[in-house]
Amino acid sequence: KIPMVYIPIENILSKYYGESAKNLSEIFNYAEKFPRVILFLDEIDSLAVSREQGIVEATRRVLSVLLRKIDGFENKNNVLTIGATNRAKDLDHALLSRFDVIIRFPLPDIKERFNIFKKYIKHLIEDELMELAKISEGFSGRNIRDVCEMAERKWARIIIKENKQIVPPPKEIYKEIILKKKLEIELWNSSG
């Protein structure tokens, strides 16, 4: 029964110098007005990249505000701060040390991937969904959702371009998108 303030990063970041740090500080100040509140910072890695990576001054200021507000003289006990990231390895060590608990969610196993595909794809039979689950090893739930949306958009373009009958995408479209996405993920992981 504690209110939660959800803060997408785009509500904090600004192209103007000093504005992002000011926005972040104001969000914490607002949250502190509640008797108790959960402050949820999604994609916190956009705010708190490691200083070892050579960050710019504006980013350093945002990180400084975040560190002071989470655990410092300015910390208020009524605000529970939760940060979410897909790039924990990029977070500043000082920030990580401010959180009392760190919970890691592993990538879904084959059964979980099957269930995620089943949630988004209603027209394929279970054997087809299992095939997609097998070839999508290493995918997150978001990756699977992206695959499904991309496959639907691609299939819609094919229907329009070729004046086909309107039917749900075949399994092959999903497989094609999975293989492309797999290459993207591999490239991303090897460059990071």
Side-chain angles (χ1 to χ4, degrees):
K1 304 204 186 249
I2 298 174
M4 182 176 84
V5 178
Y6 170 74
I7 311 296
I9 294 307
E10 60 268 15
N11 289 354
I12 298 171
L13 299 179
S14 171
K15 64 181 179 179
Y16 300 108
Y17 185 79
E19 195 70 24
S20 298
K22 179 181 170 206
N23 291 344
L24 182 60
S25 184
E26 286 178 4
I27 287 167
F28 272 90
N29 292 343
Y30 173 77
E32 290 166 1
K33 293 180 181 183
F34 288 93
R36 291 186 49 96
V37 66
I38 297 170
L39 184 61
F40 184 79
L41 299 169
D42 198 8
E43 298 184 36
I44 196 168
D45 51 283
S46 298
L47 296 175
V49 68
S50 175
R51 288 172 281 192
E52 295 170 8
Q53 297 177 3
I55 60 177
V56 296
E57 181 59 29
T59 305
R60 187 179 305 278
R61 290 178 62 161
V62 170
L63 178 58
S64 177
V65 168
L66 186 58
L67 293 174
R68 277 195 327 269
K69 292 292 187 176
I70 288 178
D71 185 34
F73 291 114
E74 297 181 37
N75 178 36
K76 305 288 191 253
N77 290 329
N78 61 320
V79 179
L80 171 65
T81 305
I82 298 175
T85 182
N86 291 325
R87 303 183 57 84
K89 66 182 181 301
D90 294 340
L91 291 176
D92 189 82
H93 296 293
L95 176 70
L96 286 173
S97 72
R98 299 300 203 276
F99 286 98
D100 296 330
V101 177
I102 295 176
I103 302 170
R104 297 189 190 278
F105 293 94
L107 292 172
D109 63 22
I110 190 167
K111 184 178 178 186
E112 293 164 332
R113 290 192 308 274
F114 169 85
N115 286 324
I116 296 168
F117 275 115
K118 191 174 183 177
K119 175 184 176 193
Y120 291 111
I121 306 172
K122 307 289 186 199
H123 63 282
L124 295 182
I125 62 172
E126 289 199 358
D127 287 346
E128 293 173 317
L129 294 171
M130 183 53 74
E131 185 178 345
L132 298 178
K134 285 178 182 174
I135 65 171
S136 61
E137 184 174 353
F139 280 34
S140 67
R142 173 173 271 166
N143 295 146
I144 294 171
R145 185 194 69 195
D146 291 348
V147 162
C148 295
E149 290 174 355
M150 291 166 70
E152 291 165 4
R153 283 193 301 271
K154 179 176 181 141
W155 186 242
R157 285 192 300 272
I158 291 170
I159 288 173
I160 293 167
K161 185 178 179 185
E162 299 177 11
N163 200 21
K164 288 183 173 267
Q165 179 184 1
I166 299 175
V167 294
K171 175 187 69 173
E172 289 71 29
I173 296 290
Y174 294 99
K175 285 178 68 173
E176 179 185 328
I177 301 296
I178 287 170
L179 295 175
K180 284 182 181 178
K181 190 78 170 167
K182 197 170 231 178
L183 283 174
E184 286 176 21
I185 291 170
E186 289 170 5
L187 287 171
W188 178 260
N189 288 338
S190 67
S191 68

